[in-house]
Amino acid sequence: MEMVIHDVEKLGVPPQNIVALPLENLVSQTHILDSIHRVDGKSMLDGAMMIGTIFSVLGVIYGFVLYWGPVIWGLLGLTGGFILGLIIEVAFNKTKKLKVLASRKSEVIVEITCHASLQNQLITVLKSRKATGFVIMPQRLTSTT
């Protein structure tokens, strides 16, 4: 979003003519994987990664005295800890709706007030920054009565 606003300002639109309004989500859902376009801070991989890291460190430490060595036991600890952490996260969040991948939703509406001559350049900027859509407001006729 910041890159879009910066690109629009480079086109010559003054900052006071750009308004960005975030949308509030009505239903908050937990996702196993967050995408770059939808990050809500409620990913289920956080706990699994922490437990996987702890088990990996323990596997490396005790791997020096075990037969296969620290590298193999560290990888086994990482895999086992990650799976155990994911099972724990799913068990704690089983009452909530769970999606594997985060769906892409528009979260910010940007209103840009500018001359009609910049319309094609603005559309190009929005397309290059992966905007999901845009609306061009028609010119309002003003009456002098």
Side-chain angles (χ1 to χ4, degrees):
M1 181 54 40
E2 294 171 5
M3 292 175 14
V4 169
I5 293 173
H6 179 70
D7 290 346
V8 169
E9 286 177 351
K10 284 195 316 188
L11 289 175
V13 177
Q16 61 267 21
N17 289 355
I18 303 170
V19 178
L21 300 171
L23 293 176
E24 295 292 328
N25 293 329
L26 295 177
V27 178
S28 177
Q29 295 178 338
T30 303
H31 304 82
I32 293 177
L33 297 175
D34 283 335
S35 69
I36 193 168
H37 299 289
R38 173 114 173 96
V39 179
D40 57 1
K42 298 179 184 176
S43 175
M44 294 185 60
L45 292 182
D46 297 338
M49 291 291 187
M50 286 190 294
I51 294 176
T53 302
I54 292 169
F55 277 47
S56 175
V57 169
L58 291 174
V60 170
I61 290 171
Y62 293 110
F64 281 104
V65 294
L66 297 174
Y67 176 69
W68 287 341
V71 174
I72 298 297
W73 282 107
L75 291 173
L76 288 173
L78 175 67
T79 305
F82 180 80
I83 292 170
L84 178 66
L86 195 59
I87 290 171
I88 291 171
E89 288 281 342
V90 169
F92 279 125
N93 293 322
K94 68 181 178 181
T95 59
K96 299 178 183 177
K97 287 185 177 180
L98 181 66
K99 287 186 175 181
V100 175
L101 292 173
S103 60
R104 185 175 177 183
K105 289 173 76 175
S106 352
E107 296 183 0
V108 178
I109 294 175
V110 179
E111 179 183 340
I112 302 168
T113 306
C114 65
H115 296 290
S117 61
L118 292 176
Q119 177 178 335
N120 290 333
Q121 293 171 335
L122 286 173
I123 292 171
T124 304
V125 167
L126 292 173
K127 285 182 180 179
S128 69
R129 298 295 179 187
K130 307 282 191 259
T132 56
F134 60 89
V135 174
I136 299 170
M137 295 283 293
Q139 184 86 22
R140 292 187 194 154
L141 296 174
T142 57
S143 63
T144 56
T145 57

